[in-house]
Amino acid sequence: MKFGVVVFPGSNCDEDMVYVLRDIMKQETIKLWHKNTDLEGCTHIILPGGFSYGDYLRSGAIARFSPIMNSVIPHAENGGFVFGVCNGFQILCESGLLPGALLHNASRKFICKNVYVKVDNMNTALTNSVPQKALKIPIAHGEGRYFADSETMAALKKNNQIIFKYCNEQGDVTAEANPNGTADNIAGICNAGKNVFGMMPHPERAADELLSNTDGKFLFESILKSALVHA
Amino acid sequence: MAAIKYSEQLADVEAAKNLGLLPEEFDRIKEILGRTPNFTEVSIFSVMWSEHCSYKNSITWLKTLPKDGPHMLAKAGEENAGLVDIGDGLGCCFKIESHNHPSALEPYQGAATGVGGINRDIFTMGARPIAQLNSLRFGDINSQKTQWLLKGVVKGIGDYGNAFGIPTVGGEVFFDDCYNVNPLVNAMSVGIVKEGETVSATSYGVGNPVFIVGSSTGKDGIAGAAFASKDLTEDSAKDLPSVQVGDPFQEKLLLEATLEVIKTGAVIGMQDMGAAGITCSTSEMSAKGEHGMNIWLHKVPTRQEGMHPFEILLSESQERMLVVVEKGKEALVQAVFDKWDLNCAQIGEVTAGDRLKYYMNDELVADVPADVLVLGGGAPVYTRDYKEPAYYAESKKFNINTIIEPNDLKPVMQFLAKLPNLASKRWIYNQYDSMVGGINMSTNKPSDAAIVNVKGTKKALAMTVDCNARYVNADPETGCAIAVSEAARNIVCSGGIPSAVTNCLNFGNPYNPEVYWQFVGSIKGMSSTCLKFKTPVTGGNVSFYNQSSYEGPVFPTPTIGMIGILEDKSLQTTLDFKTEGDVIYMIGESKNDISSSEYLYSFHKTKNTPAPFFDLETEFNIQAAVISIIKNKLITSAHDVSDGGLFMNLLESAMVNNLGFEISSDSAIRKDAFLFGEAQSRVIVSVSANATSALETELKKQNVTFTKLGVVKGTNIVIDGTNYGSVSDYKQSFDTSIEGYLN
């Protein structure tokens, strides 16, 4: 198992992700520069948060054309693990590895705060070790309102591809707990093959005991467990 | 080719005056050069001798501020920002700066480029910014103009800081009519650098190449420094080209490339381009390194064709740096900027002597000595007259007995909880990324100052920005002493030891003797207090001319940015009540004082009153006592009494975990003064019931006054047996008040 965190120009959560994987989860982790095409033997590819290429166009719209994506896309299509957080999720949608799109928040404002999410599908490489409770994980985005046409939404539900929904502290999925107007309270999804994941909340910001919240660590533990099972 | 050569376009005193120079300053330029300057040269002098760059009306007094502290690595004025030794081989580099005038005209870009500029000041020294704060002042929140300014400023700070990727961890927002025309936007950045990896803003070594890196140079922000050095008027909108345009993506690339290029060992010196652009960076670096420079302006990458020499020299286009490189190592530098897809163009070379020679193609368009341009060199220094304004003596006549105490205080409490100055600022701070970087230890543990993890060490940093400008207006010396004390108190209540100060001195027109009296008083108050707390002033900036020609000056607002050190992360102390049954103490003394309180000012609308009670010795002792009880792990929360008085203090501690309290007031003083007065030097702590005797023993040992106020209990606010309602009801109006004005 080897993690590769892709660094696009404008990525700004790359260091945080590397810190959690390397220093907290004790995993072999390297950075992958966007201009390269070699995944350097990484089994797990992470697209971190940030503002790739400034995101002056639609978020992620330019990053999908980075040379590294020419290797990330085949890796995903061959069943390899790919996980995008925030801007990473946006890039995965833009590149077609995940369905749907992420629109401007309903408030038209950037939102950074702790929110609660609940796992909708426990049976994935990202969620197998997550307890049945509302997880406190922060969001920080301007474009996080998930949208897909009704056919896609139906397929997502049918295939159990919706993996995180925004909820309140008690774990109830309510309209009030929806921070950005996202469809069906969706906070994160995966592809039909269940090897490509995207979510708007930042689990890497909730994995260090010094920050007094480690709810995000369950996701990383799930990844490790799943990798062991499949090794 | 221009019809008349640039070097032959001679300037006269009228041209100089139009650029903001005084007639006697024009005479001095002639004397220095031994000839009549051309237009380009006068442009150079006009920006370098502007208030903004030269500090000509403030430097005499700034020099009286304490600069020395036990931990200083770079003192005020030596570098772009102050540098404090925090141990473990690390330095902390931090500074606050204003961007008031640009924000008044174009709030979004004005605020955004303020954030960009202050961060460049930090990473140009080789430090990686780790946290940002800001201090904002606006006019009446009911006015559409204020709402437009506020929304633009907040979006500008957010869009720039969020994309740049450094968390905004703290700040303050204050509303008063005096800021209706001229809002204040002060941005602070804090960075960390390894000992020995700092870079100086210097230039030496004859023949060494000079590079400009980062964004291309455009016509934005031309003469922004001169614009910031005059009053705002109705004509100020015509100065719109003086406002710069920011690109946080370029700034992020420039940050990474800059820190990477330092590691090559090829860099002799580096300075970011802020006010006065290429002019300022070339002259300041040359003056510091005691060398000259030849600069070829036609080699500067520009955004458009046909820019004149003075435009290239004065442009304040953002996200640029000047780098002097060791000859022979150009390729190392070029490779780094190529990697990050940034411009990197050699535009000159270091020369012997002290002349700055600017060329456009083959023509020498300006030839000036570096040293005479800069602060500490030949830039003018003025001592201004000052005079006590009439309002000061008038305010001293205030007598609390003229204010009738309301029979029922519950409406006052409800009024204060939703007053914009006291209510939650979440509508604002939720638009800032406060968590990127994974080091904000306050996200889930609120305290008076923001606590930021210093990874790889046992330590954490505490940081805060503070200034109650209403107090400073009431009494500049005492008010500024309170600003420093409150900053220190916030750090102490969070578990830190105050370390050093950066200041942002926002005042009106310095040629107004009453404004200058406010300035001088503030400096005196800051000096004595910083000396007492051993917190040297490491740098900052002065922003004069914060007034409109028709509404007068803003409140004198000397914003204090302070950092402190937690020797051990476990010392982090939070402000929220933890458990029912915990006992609440006040350390310090209640006073029969409501002067300059939010209660008096906003509820009773009585405006001209003295600063609240303050005694420096008492303040120092109270803080020493709090440091001691935190070190001895005796308390479960600490929160200082500030704006809104004891009532707001208790409410803030109660709301976090929805825990109520029952307290008794002091029969010796008025109940409104007890609850809403803002007398200084008071800290409220809560303590487990079984630890009260240990706490009292320690406080007696520390020889400070303290009172047992009551207990954490239930979910209501109960004072002297009267129930004033539920904490959650107050929280609802506290949380939603500001968004009610803005959504």
Side-chain angles (χ1 to χ4, degrees):
Chain A
M1 194 179 355
K2 182 176 174 185
F3 287 87
V5 178
V6 177
V7 182
F8 297 100
S11 293
N12 62 27
C13 303
D14 47 333
E15 278 295 337
D16 306 355
M17 187 61 85
V18 169
Y19 176 76
V20 168
L21 289 168
R22 195 186 277 163
D23 293 45
I24 294 177
M25 306 309 294
K26 309 291 179 199
Q27 297 303 304
E28 183 184 5
T29 307
I30 61 166
K31 287 188 186 175
L32 297 171
W33 182 237
H34 71 109
K35 286 181 185 174
N36 298 337
T37 51
D38 185 356
L39 298 185
E40 298 182 47
C42 290
T43 54
H44 289 64
I45 304 297
I46 314 272
L47 308 188
F51 291 73
S52 51
Y53 294 90
D55 278 346
Y56 292 121
L57 191 58
R58 290 190 317 279
S59 295
I62 298 180
R64 62 162 290 208
F65 294 109
S66 262
I68 193 81
M69 291 306 289
N70 293 326
S71 302
V72 171
I73 291 171
H75 175 81
E77 286 169 351
N78 291 330
F81 180 94
V82 178
F83 177 28
V85 174
C86 198
N87 193 220
F89 185 14
Q90 293 161 341
I91 295 166
L92 289 173
C93 288
E94 286 288 335
S95 65
L97 288 175
L98 288 174
L102 291 149
L103 309 180
H104 279 282
N105 296 341
S107 65
R108 315 297 286 181
K109 287 198 283 285
F110 189 94
I111 305 168
C112 174
K113 62 179 184 182
N114 274 326
V115 297
Y116 290 88
V117 295
K118 195 177 160 178
V119 172
D120 223 41
N121 177 357
M122 298 273 295
N123 200 14
T124 75
L126 194 62
T127 53
N128 60 62
S129 300
V130 178
Q132 272 287 19
K133 64 160 193 171
L135 303 179
K136 183 164 83 171
I137 303 183
I139 55 168
H141 60 247
E143 296 172 33
R145 179 162 57 105
Y146 185 78
F147 176 83
D149 59 36
S150 51
E151 234 169 279
T152 308
M153 288 296 287
L156 286 176
K157 282 175 197 165
K158 186 164 162 255
N159 300 327
N160 292 319
Q161 286 172 251
I162 299 170
I163 48 174
F164 294 109
K165 283 188 173 183
Y166 295 109
C167 63
N168 62 20
E169 198 172 348
Q170 290 72 41
D172 304 318
V173 177
T174 64
E176 293 72 40
N178 184 336
N180 55 17
T182 185
D184 252 7
N185 279 44
I186 288 174
I189 60 167
C190 63
N191 65 346
K194 310 232 173 7
N195 62 310
V196 179
F197 300 86
M199 67 189 293
M200 289 313 297
H202 287 267
E204 82 281 10
R205 296 184 183 187
D208 185 348
E209 281 173 16
L210 288 171
L211 307 185
S212 311
N213 176 17
T214 54
D215 281 2
K217 211 173 160 186
F218 295 120
L219 277 64
F220 297 102
E221 283 164 356
S222 298
I223 298 171
L224 302 197
K225 190 173 161 197
S226 151
L228 285 178
V229 171
H230 295 99
Chain B
M1 195 91 184
I4 308 174
K5 294 179 97 183
Y6 290 114
S7 51
E8 291 168 3
Q9 295 174 9
L10 297 187
D12 58 16
V13 69
E14 280 311 309
K17 273 163 71 181
N18 285 338
L19 289 166
L21 287 164
L22 300 170
E24 56 268 34
E25 290 171 342
F26 183 68
D27 289 340
R28 249 193 89 203
I29 295 167
K30 285 199 288 193
E31 200 178 303
I32 287 164
L33 297 179
R35 58 180 166 81
T36 301
N38 67 41
F39 179 75
T40 307
E41 288 164 336
V42 169
S43 299
I44 290 170
F45 278 95
S46 77
V47 289
M48 290 306 295
W49 286 5
S50 70
E51 191 66 55
H52 192 80
C53 290
S54 73
Y55 294 83
K56 59 189 171 190
N57 285 308
S58 60
I59 188 65
T60 309
W61 283 98
L62 295 180
K63 281 184 171 166
T64 65
L65 289 168
K67 284 186 187 177
D68 262 324
H71 303 124
M72 293 308 299
L73 293 174
K75 290 179 200 167
E78 285 180 357
E79 293 293 348
N80 279 297
L83 192 58
V84 174
D85 186 357
I86 58 169
D88 297 294
L90 298 174
C92 175
C93 182
F94 68 109
K95 191 180 178 188
I96 190 167
E97 216 167 61
S98 62
H99 235 214
N100 305 334
H101 284 70
S103 304
L105 289 199
E106 213 296 53
Y108 179 82
Q109 291 295 350
T113 52
V115 170
I118 193 61
N119 278 300
R120 274 196 304 287
D121 272 339
I122 302 304
F123 69 79
T124 192
M125 289 180 65
R128 178 176 283 279
I130 60 162
Q132 314 184 73
L133 302 94
N134 56 67
S135 171
L136 310 177
R137 303 285 184 292
F138 296 100
D140 177 7
I141 196 173
N142 289 297
S143 97
Q144 285 195 337
K145 175 154 188 211
T146 294
Q147 293 169 11
W148 172 74
L149 287 168
L150 173 60
K151 286 176 185 177
V153 165
V154 170
K155 189 159 174 55
I157 292 173
D159 281 1
Y160 203 101
N162 298 346
F164 183 54
I166 306 303
T168 300
V169 300
E172 53 169 358
V173 185
F174 183 83
F175 301 93
D176 190 277
D177 288 355
C178 74
Y179 304 106
N180 275 342
V181 173
N182 196 138
L184 302 183
V185 176
N186 296 174
M188 173 167 162
S189 177
V190 181
I192 296 277
V193 59
K194 275 191 195 146
E195 223 172 89
E197 291 187 5
T198 52
V199 173
S200 190
T202 189
S203 166
Y204 53 81
V206 174
N208 278 335
V210 178
F211 284 87
I212 190 168
V213 301
S215 291
S216 297
T217 299
K219 288 192 179 181
D220 56 328
I222 288 177
F227 160 61
S229 303
K230 59 184 180 187
D231 293 352
L232 288 177
T233 67
E234 281 171 352
D235 290 335
S236 291
K238 292 179 190 152
D239 281 328
L240 206 53
S242 296
V243 181
Q244 310 87 335
V245 177
D247 180 350
F249 174 57
Q250 291 291 313
E251 178 102 337
K252 168 68 175 165
L253 301 184
L254 190 60
L255 162 72
E256 299 300 338
T258 299
L259 296 184
E260 214 167 295
V261 84
I262 291 167
K263 293 210 164 73
T264 66
V267 176
I268 299 280
M270 179 157 58
Q271 182 165 341
D272 73 303
M273 273 176 246
I278 294 176
T279 304
C280 187
S281 50
T282 51
S283 54
E284 288 188 355
M285 289 175 76
S286 297
K288 188 175 171 84
E290 298 180 341
H291 274 67
M293 267 184 201
N294 288 335
I295 297 291
W296 312 307
L297 295 172
H298 50 282
K299 295 205 172 173
V300 174
T302 54
R303 287 184 201 157
Q304 60 193 104
E305 301 266 300
M307 282 179 72
H308 295 296
F310 86 93
E311 292 174 322
I312 298 172
L313 277 164
L314 268 51
S315 163
E316 294 187 3
S317 288
Q318 301 290 290
E319 295 94 24
R320 300 177 302 158
M321 295 259 192
L322 196 76
V323 191
V324 175
V325 173
E326 195 181 324
K327 195 172 175 60
K329 294 189 173 172
E330 294 88 341
L332 292 173
V333 171
Q334 192 75 49
V336 171
F337 288 97
D338 283 351
K339 174 187 167 186
W340 291 97
D341 300 315
L342 289 169
N343 286 325
C344 175
Q346 187 183 345
I347 60 163
E349 62 186 7
V350 179
T351 59
D354 75 333
R355 300 300 281 200
L356 297 170
K357 296 188 177 185
Y358 300 101
Y359 293 88
M360 190 74 175
N361 300 311
D362 295 330
E363 188 191 349
L364 177 63
V365 295
D367 179 358
V368 292
D371 193 56
V372 302
L373 294 173
V374 304
L375 164 70
V381 175
Y382 301 130
T383 40
R384 298 250 74 83
D385 293 333
Y386 52 92
K387 143 176 149 216
E388 183 184 299
Y391 79 80
Y392 182 66
E394 196 59 33
S395 72
K396 300 280 185 207
K397 295 178 188 162
F398 172 71
N399 180 344
I400 188 171
N401 297 325
T402 60
I403 303 295
I404 297 161
E405 185 178 351
N407 288 326
D408 184 3
L409 295 180
K410 188 171 179 183
V412 181
M413 295 176 185
Q414 289 167 329
F415 172 83
L416 291 177
K418 63 177 192 211
L419 201 64
N421 277 346
L422 302 178
S424 167
K425 307 300 185 293
R426 73 175 189 183
W427 187 92
I428 293 162
Y429 65 71
N430 280 349
Q431 295 187 56
Y432 305 148
D433 192 336
S434 57
M435 305 185 211
V436 61
I439 52 172
N440 186 348
M441 292 170 66
S442 296
T443 303
N444 301 298
K445 290 177 90 173
S447 51
D448 285 0
I451 306 297
V452 171
N453 184 19
V454 183
K455 278 183 182 168
T457 74
K458 280 173 70 183
K459 296 190 174 90
L461 289 176
M463 49 194 77
T464 180
V465 282
D466 290 288
C467 178
N468 186 318
R470 186 182 295 144
Y471 303 167
V472 185
N473 189 58
D475 186 327
E477 192 164 345
T478 302
C480 196
I482 291 175
V484 175
S485 299
E486 189 189 343
R489 210 186 304 136
N490 285 335
I491 284 171
V492 164
C493 285
S494 310
I497 306 290
S499 178
V501 161
T502 177
N503 61 21
C504 196
L505 306 172
N506 309 273
F507 289 82
N509 188 325
Y511 291 85
N512 173 343
E514 297 185 351
V515 165
Y516 210 74
W517 174 84
Q518 296 173 330
F519 177 74
V520 170
S522 298
I523 296 289
K524 287 179 180 168
M526 193 182 303
S527 279
S528 56
T529 317
C530 286
L531 272 176
K532 183 74 188 173
F533 284 102
K534 295 194 175 68
T535 52
V537 179
T538 67
N541 102 312
V542 180
S543 172
F544 282 133
Y545 305 96
N546 289 294
Q547 57 185 63
S548 86
S549 46
Y550 47 97
E551 289 208 357
V554 300
F555 280 164
T557 313
T559 309
I560 301 298
M562 189 181 279
I563 61 157
I565 298 173
L566 280 69
E567 281 300 324
D568 193 306
K569 299 182 219 290
S570 69
L571 291 169
Q572 182 183 7
T573 302
T574 51
L575 63 80
D576 50 311
F577 293 146
K578 302 292 185 300
T579 317
E580 227 178 317
D582 283 359
V583 183
I584 304 168
Y585 283 83
M586 174 186 288
I587 304 176
E589 222 175 319
S590 292
K591 299 274 177 193
N592 203 38
D593 173 24
I594 55 172
S595 289
S596 280
S597 64
E598 196 64 62
Y599 162 68
L600 181 60
Y601 194 88
S602 297
F603 188 83
H604 290 288
K605 307 211 184 308
T606 299
K607 305 213 161 173
N608 191 20
T609 62
F613 173 84
F614 174 75
D615 177 70
L616 182 57
E617 211 54 45
T618 307
E619 177 73 41
F620 186 81
N621 294 338
I622 295 290
Q623 292 193 26
V626 174
I627 290 170
S628 161
I629 58 177
I630 287 175
K631 199 172 158 198
N632 290 307
K633 313 256 181 222
L634 292 173
I635 54 172
T636 54
S637 75
H639 186 22
D640 84 311
V641 179
S642 59
D643 302 5
L646 177 65
F647 166 72
M648 283 309 295
N649 169 295
L650 294 168
L651 181 62
E652 284 161 5
S653 296
M655 286 186 293
V656 180
N657 300 313
N658 193 29
L659 285 169
F661 54 87
E662 289 188 15
I663 60 160
S664 309
S665 69
D666 182 341
S667 57
I669 62 173
R670 287 167 59 142
K671 199 181 270 193
D672 59 350
F674 178 79
L675 288 171
F676 314 126
E678 296 179 15
Q680 297 295 297
S681 313
R682 292 182 290 162
V683 172
I684 307 303
V685 299
S686 68
V687 53
S688 304
N690 60 15
T692 52
S693 60
L695 177 71
E696 292 189 11
T697 305
E698 179 62 26
L699 291 174
K700 280 175 194 154
K701 196 173 120 195
Q702 293 286 332
N703 205 16
V704 290
T705 309
F706 64 91
T707 324
K708 190 192 277 189
L709 288 181
V711 289
V712 178
K713 190 174 175 186
T715 55
N716 290 321
I717 294 174
V718 179
I719 301 164
D720 297 332
T722 302
N723 185 345
Y724 287 91
S726 74
V727 169
S728 59
D729 283 349
Y730 284 101
K731 184 176 191 309
Q732 174 65 21
S733 59
F734 175 84
D735 280 344
T736 56
S737 168
I738 286 188
E739 56 210 53
Y741 292 93
L742 299 170
N743 277 346

